Amino acid sequence: MAHAGSWKMDLKSPQRVSCSTEFSALIGLLPELAITRDELIARFSSEYRDRIGWLFQQCSRHGIGFDEEMQIDTPSGRKWVRMVCEAVPNKRSQVKSLQGMLQNISDLKQAQQETLHLAMRLTTTLSTITDAFVTLDRQCCFTHLNQESEQLLRHTSAELLGKEIWEVLVNDKNQRLRQELQRSIATGRQLEFEDFYPGLGKWLEVRVCPFAEGLAVYFRDVSKRRKSQEQLMLLETCVSRLNDIVLIAEAQPARKKVPYIVFVNHAFEQHTGYSRHEVLGQTPHKLMGPGAAQDEFERMVRMLARKRQARSELLIYRKNGSCFWLELEIVQVADTADDLAHWVAVGRDITQRKVAADAIHQLAFYDPLTSLPNRLMLLNRLEQVMSQSVDLRRNGALMFIDVDKLKVLNDTLGHHKGDMLLQQVAERLAGCVDDTDTVARLGGDEFVVLLEDLGDDAAEATVKTQKLAEKVLEQLREPFDLSGHQHYTTSSIGVTSLNGPHDSVSEVLKQADLAMYQAKTTGRNAVCFFDPEMQAVVNANAAVSSELHAGLRKQEFVLHYQPQVDRQGCVTGVEALLRWQHPRRGLVMPADFIPMAEDSGLILPLGQWALATACEQLAAWAQWPQAASLSIAVNVSVRQFRHPDFVDQVMAEIRRTGIKPEHLKLELTETLLADGMEITLARMGTLKALGVTLALDDFGMGYSSLSALKRLPLDQLKIDKNFVAEVLTDRADAAISRTIITLAHSLNLEVVAEGVETQAQQDFLIAQGCDQFQGFLFSEPLPIGELEAYLMEPGTHRKALAASLLPG
């Protein structure tokens, strides 16, 4: 309805412009076609192309929006449009794109032109009216005609003298002239009337003056006047009924400089509540009210003194005291002496647009739940404060606040209770700080407090920040009333100072975030100030994570294999252990990179690679009699096992390599039993049905219970090496090991002891009934080549290793 369309321009090459259907239709572009920035500029008329290109450049580089009226060339002709543009920043407050709207204002421009043309025609009409004069005898025959009448009647005097006037001016459809002339002769009275004469195609003003011999008749061509009157009446009717407010003020002499109102339309009366009679002769100042509107009006007056028109947005007061926003354009009208005669003001009620703009601003810069500033406003404000802290040497601080265990509240009482908690937290935080400070919500349970001016002394600023942080902790420890439910919570606060220069806003936020997580690790309900060593640890972890990605891509990971033997010392299988052959650091053990792999998600591709490699090795051993009966145990992480595709991946590798499923042993951790028990049982059942061997690793160190253990389709239990290490010296560890073996055998499960390093340990475990053993007593984890050599002569290798472990 507004004849407007929206557009958005991505500043990345080739600067494509995405646009709405209305925008495409307006510039004459098919909806399915795309357009670039240069193609869009080419649509503007030649006299505006440099201007629009410059405006786009200013907005792209400096974020300066614009609102301009220009002309564009379309297949249907030239159009007047209103072009509005604003910059869209990214998280670093750099302009990433432009967006705006294009509105067709051709009708408005045409109406303005038509109004001007009408005024010009009115002036021309007034200057070209002429009189014609004839005399008639009593039979209404021409006896005299002047030159003007000859021109009017389009005949010479010789042609008309002696002829009745009816022959020229009267027809069957218009008998009024005959009737009026005959009445004047009969009554002897003067007459004056206007009528249309089809033969001439004109409106004539006729004045009849009877005299003794007949009639003197004056004709004045009033066709233009009549047409002007009609047009003027039409114009006044249109102006009066316009939705836009129209006000005309007559300029006073220069010494007074105060215009007074001479015309207002119906829209003015509707919008302001003032009747026409209440404002005629008054000044427009009474509509402005106090304050900024008066100042803006005076600015427009000064602008009008320099040029013929001015535009602004003003807050106008109604008669009842309420107000509304008006987009006002004032044009000066000069008289023939080029002196100021009138001011014509045209205004449009833009209150809804202002409300919408305020709503957009609220959505863009404020959190809808708490009404606090959001991340975008915080970043803008933080950048200003950081700049001031350097330029003015003011100390500041940033507090990163995390509400502890909000997820538990949401999961137990519902998200509406969690929202109520966040709203009350926002109120308490706002009550803790000064008006000059900023409290913002980043999202979720994270809040930020920006302390702007903590004085010139850095030590004093730290003390003030510490006191405020402790005040926040105390406030958030107080109970919250969540619609009748009393809820207690705590918070974790990280603080970083804004003293001195920083690389970026994101660096400051990251420091405060790291400090907050450090506060969480200390047990929550605590304050922690940023320490550069935190950043060093994070950077080191990030470096390892990055190297892990590269190492996986470059195939730097290898498997080493540690043999598992039975009571007689015969090798029954091996455990595949992951190693990282780092190009600079050498062979890296799992403890140094597995946690990073877990955090970064790389544990999934690493685990899949280890599974595939182990299956390929089993396939190769199937052709070698010395190893054809051996199994390979592969460790499976919790994250890997819980991946929806894990069982399918195992089945796919078995089919791809053609191995016997029972030779593949999957070692699972007790962490799997912490939650999701039903899903764990279902997946283990599927794997067991395939024939895969299942072992529970590090038994006794985690979440196992007898009720859970009896439901698991296991084949083996592995005694953790921590129990085995002290089995000869610690009665508790000996009892635990003995209990595990007894429990496993009662459930028909084999028992494998890890970390066996001495013959005495093995002898003790054999005496308790342990089935298999694994540890340095038999072999360290070996590369595949050394393992196969070990399998050829296991006794020799075992003796050499045992000798290397003897004291001295």
Side-chain angles (χ1 to χ4, degrees), residues 80 104-121 231 234-236 238-239 242-244 246 344 346 348:
W80 275 98
N104 187 352
I105 60 172
S106 299
D107 292 342
L108 176 61
K109 287 291 185 179
Q110 183 178 358
Q112 294 172 350
Q113 291 294 327
E114 289 176 354
T115 302
L116 179 61
H117 293 160
L118 177 58
M120 295 175 62
R121 287 197 298 271
Q231 291 178 338
L234 178 62
L235 177 61
E236 184 174 353
C238 292
V239 171
L242 280 176
N243 291 326
D244 291 345
V246 179
V344 179
V346 179
R348 177 174 298 172

Side-chain angles (χ1 to χ4, degrees), residues 540-554:
N541 291 341
V544 172
S545 178
S546 177
E547 290 180 341
L548 275 173
H549 281 84
L552 187 61
R553 186 176 63 253
K554 296 177 182 179

Side-chain angles (χ1 to χ4, degrees), residues 362-654:
Q362 185 74 16
L363 289 173
F365 293 102
Y366 291 88
D367 172 50
L369 178 64
T370 63
S371 297
L372 293 177
N374 63 8
R375 176 182 288 272
L376 181 58
M377 178 172 280
L378 174 69
L379 294 179
N380 293 339
R381 187 66 190 140
L382 180 56
E383 190 168 4
Q384 296 174 8
V385 173
M386 288 172 58
S387 176
Q388 291 175 356
S389 67
V390 175
D391 298 340
L392 304 179
R393 297 183 179 180
R394 293 178 180 173
N395 291 302
L398 190 74
M399 297 171 52
F400 203 108
I401 304 167
D402 184 270
V403 180
D404 295 330
K405 299 183 179 180
L406 176 65
K407 184 177 184 301
V408 176
L409 175 62
N410 287 332
D411 293 342
T412 55
L413 298 182
H415 284 271
H416 65 289
K417 296 290 188 183
D419 291 345
M420 292 175 63
L421 174 64
L422 293 174
Q423 290 169 340
Q424 294 183 31
V425 167
E427 293 175 0
R428 294 190 186 184
L429 290 177
C432 290
V433 301
D434 296 332
D435 293 338
T436 57
D437 300 325
T438 301
V439 179
R441 180 184 178 224
L442 296 188
D445 55 3
E446 296 177 339
F447 294 84
V448 169
V449 175
L450 175 60
L451 307 177
E452 299 190 16
D453 190 359
L454 296 174
D456 300 330
D457 187 272
E460 184 180 349
T462 301
V463 172
K464 290 180 180 178
T465 306
Q466 179 72 37
K467 288 182 178 179
L468 179 60
E470 292 174 354
K471 180 180 179 181
V472 170
L473 285 178
E474 181 180 354
Q475 287 292 316
L476 297 185
R477 280 196 297 264
E478 294 296 320
F480 292 86
D481 183 7
L482 307 180
S483 293
H485 173 77
Q486 194 173 54
H487 179 74
Y488 290 87
T489 188
T490 57
S491 60
S492 302
I493 302 178
V495 183
T496 187
S497 68
L498 301 180
N499 308 336
H502 291 79
D503 291 340
S504 64
V505 170
S506 61
E507 177 197 6
V508 174
L509 280 173
K510 184 170 64 175
Q511 290 176 357
D513 191 28
L514 286 173
M516 183 273 293
Y517 275 105
Q518 184 66 24
K520 276 187 175 293
T521 60
T522 61
R524 307 177 188 270
N525 192 29
V527 179
C528 183
F529 281 74
F530 173 74
D531 184 345
E533 291 185 3
M534 297 180 189
Q535 190 65 51
V537 172
V538 171
N539 292 342
N541 291 341
V544 172
S545 178
S546 177
E547 290 180 341
L548 275 173
H549 281 84
L552 187 61
R553 186 176 63 253
K554 296 177 182 179
Q555 299 181 346
E556 295 174 355
F557 292 92
V558 296
L559 288 181
H560 284 191
Y561 301 89
Q562 187 172 32
Q564 297 174 340
V565 302
D566 59 15
R567 297 180 183 182
Q568 289 74 38
C570 298
V571 177
T572 60
V574 297
E575 180 180 359
L577 299 170
L578 193 61
R579 300 289 187 267
W580 182 7
Q581 190 65 55
H582 196 280
R584 289 181 290 101
R585 296 160 57 190
L587 195 65
V588 182
M589 295 294 106
D592 295 327
F593 66 85
I594 288 297
M596 292 299 101
E598 290 276 5
D599 291 341
S600 64
L602 281 177
I603 194 67
L604 295 177
L606 274 175
Q608 188 173 356
W609 174 84
L611 175 66
T613 304
C615 290
E616 291 169 358
Q617 189 59 56
L618 284 172
W621 280 352
Q623 310 302 320
W624 186 32
Q626 290 88 336
S629 62
L630 299 183
S631 64
I632 295 182
V634 179
N635 289 285
V636 178
S637 70
V638 174
R639 190 168 182 177
Q640 184 182 6
F641 184 84
R642 288 180 176 167
H643 191 279
D645 296 334
F646 175 69
V647 174
D648 292 337
Q649 292 171 359
V650 173
M651 295 172 64
E653 290 300 329
I654 292 174

Side-chain angles (χ1 to χ4, degrees), residues 703-736:
Y703 301 89
S704 294
S705 66
L706 293 179
S707 61
L709 191 62
K710 70 178 183 178
R711 299 173 62 192
L712 299 177
L714 296 170
D715 298 286
Q716 286 184 349
L717 287 184
K718 297 189 73 174
I719 303 176
D720 186 78
K721 60 184 178 182
N722 291 315
F723 297 133
V724 174
E726 304 295 332
V727 73
L728 299 177
T729 58
D730 189 311
R731 297 178 62 183
D733 285 347
I736 290 173

